[in-house]
């Protein structure tokens, strides 16, 4: 199995999961780059996976299924206009053409219905977790977003994190403000700068890298707790409160 990014809009990645001439897509916000990809590879589309209802994740689906009628697996709580197979937390999606079975993880916060797809070693997390960052909390509560990220943080360390946007560089700039002395953040910043200036994606990362550099997963790190304490004027009551202070700080920048 091969996983390749298809670029869309300014900074979206549509993930193409390929195996033996078949392909499934995650979050095709735009049809044109996908149609080009299908033409170039000769792959046959077998399924579409949707993490949440935002237009930059579902905008291409109507046109794609009009040409290639395939099942659209997505959240039970949203995107009903395109989803044919609604899914909730702990459901499974079997994609026999690709030989893969994905588990659904409910990750409310960015939107209330947001789901992620996980299979051993792979995570497609939409706009919940980014390289060194996390999605804005538009619909859920900060506590919900923290609980969702805690579920992802508990996955195996070698999990490859396939997020939906190329935001890593700006997220790392914020991470350095939160934790100026974190050497892993400094190293990742130069690695990512090198990749981006070569025109390469900074993702996927591994969960281990995220745990070392992503301030939105580092609610147990003394430096992050200290930064949250400085923002709040008091020690955060718990992990969710540390996360909330960092997320609200990010929203002001
Ligand atoms: Zn979104
Ligand atoms: Fe998005």
């Amino acid at each position: 199995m091969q996983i390749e990014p298809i670029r869309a809009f300014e900074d979206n990645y549509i993930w193409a999961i390929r195996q033996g001439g078949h392909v499934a897509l995650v979050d095709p916000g735009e049809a044109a780059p996908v149609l080009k990809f299908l033409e170039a590879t000769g792959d046959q589309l077998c399924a579409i996976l949707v993490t949440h209802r935002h237009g930059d994740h579902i905008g291409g689906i109507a046109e794609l299924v009009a040409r290639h009628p395939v099942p659209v697996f997505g959240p039970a709580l949203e995107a009903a206009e395109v989803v044919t197979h609604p899914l909730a937390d702990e459901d499974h999606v079997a994609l026999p053409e690709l030989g893969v079975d994905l588990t659904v993880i409910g990750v409310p916060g960015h939107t209330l219905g947001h789901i992620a797809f996980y299979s051993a070693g792979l995570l497609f997390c939409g706009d919940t977790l980014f390289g060194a960052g996390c999605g804005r909390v538009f619909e859920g509560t900060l506590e919900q977003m923290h609980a969702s990220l805690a579920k992802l943080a508990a996955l195996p360390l070698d999990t490859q994190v396939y997020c939906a946007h190329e935001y890593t560089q700006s997220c790392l700039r914020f991470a350095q403000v939160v934790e100026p002395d974190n050497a892993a953040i400094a190293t990742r910043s130069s690695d990512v700068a090198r990749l981006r200036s070569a025109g390469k994606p900074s993702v996927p990362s591994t969960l281990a890298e995220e745990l070392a550099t992503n301030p939105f997963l580092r609610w147990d790190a003394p430096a992050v707790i200290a930064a949250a304490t400085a923002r709040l004027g008091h020690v955060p009551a718990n992990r969710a409160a540390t996360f909330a202070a960092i997320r609200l700080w990010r929203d002001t920048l």
Side-chain angles (χ1 to χ4, degrees):
M1 202 168 69
Q2 260 176 288
I3 301 174
E4 288 175 33
I6 301 172
R7 285 157 205 257
F9 306 111
E10 286 284 285
D11 52 31
N12 280 73
Y13 291 124
I14 299 165
W15 293 105
I17 312 170
R18 312 178 63 200
Q19 172 67 46
H22 296 276
V23 64
L25 303 166
V26 184
D27 286 351
E30 228 183 343
V34 171
L35 294 169
K36 224 193 260 177
F37 175 91
L38 294 175
E39 200 178 321
T41 58
D43 281 1
Q44 202 184 330
L45 187 60
C46 67
I48 292 172
L49 306 174
V50 176
T51 63
H52 69 291
R53 65 178 176 78
H54 287 155
D56 62 312
H57 299 253
I58 66 170
I61 295 176
E63 187 178 344
L64 291 170
V65 296
R67 296 175 189 229
H68 307 275
V70 296
V72 180
F73 298 93
L77 296 180
E78 58 189 41
E81 67 274 32
V82 291
V83 170
T84 60
H85 292 59
L87 302 166
D89 190 37
E90 297 186 12
D91 280 346
H92 284 264
V93 180
L95 300 174
E97 296 90 342
L98 306 178
V100 69
D101 187 76
L102 297 153
T103 304
V104 174
I105 306 176
V107 286
H110 178 71
T111 65
L112 281 174
H114 200 306
I115 57 174
F117 297 91
Y118 173 74
S119 162
L122 305 172
L123 174 69
F124 298 98
C125 51
D127 285 358
T128 296
L129 182 61
F130 294 130
C134 78
R136 262 179 188 269
V137 181
F138 284 124
E139 295 179 3
T141 63
L142 290 160
E143 289 75 13
Q144 268 179 320
M145 189 65 159
H146 171 258
S148 294
L149 290 168
K151 285 194 207 177
L152 303 185
L155 295 171
L157 292 177
D158 62 354
T159 303
Q160 302 270 314
V161 178
Y162 292 90
C163 62
H165 288 272
E166 180 60 63
Y167 288 161
T168 316
Q169 260 184 316
S170 77
C171 291
L172 281 168
R173 280 193 285 274
F174 176 69
Q176 276 188 305
V177 173
V178 178
E179 286 190 88
D181 300 326
N182 181 326
I185 293 173
T187 303
R188 188 175 184 188
S189 297
S190 39
D191 292 348
V192 167
R194 202 172 313 119
L195 286 168
R196 297 303 296 146
S197 58
K200 292 181 185 156
S202 68
V203 290
S205 58
T206 63
L207 189 60
E209 275 181 273
E210 296 306 330
L211 291 171
T213 60
N214 189 323
F216 301 101
L217 299 180
R218 292 176 53 73
W219 43 73
D220 283 332
V224 174
I225 296 169
T229 302
R231 292 292 297 177
L232 295 168
H234 58 84
V235 178
N238 51 38
R239 291 167 168 163
T242 300
F243 166 77
I246 302 297
R247 183 60 253 182
L248 291 172
W249 182 6
R250 174 70 167 150
D251 289 345
T252 66
L253 301 176

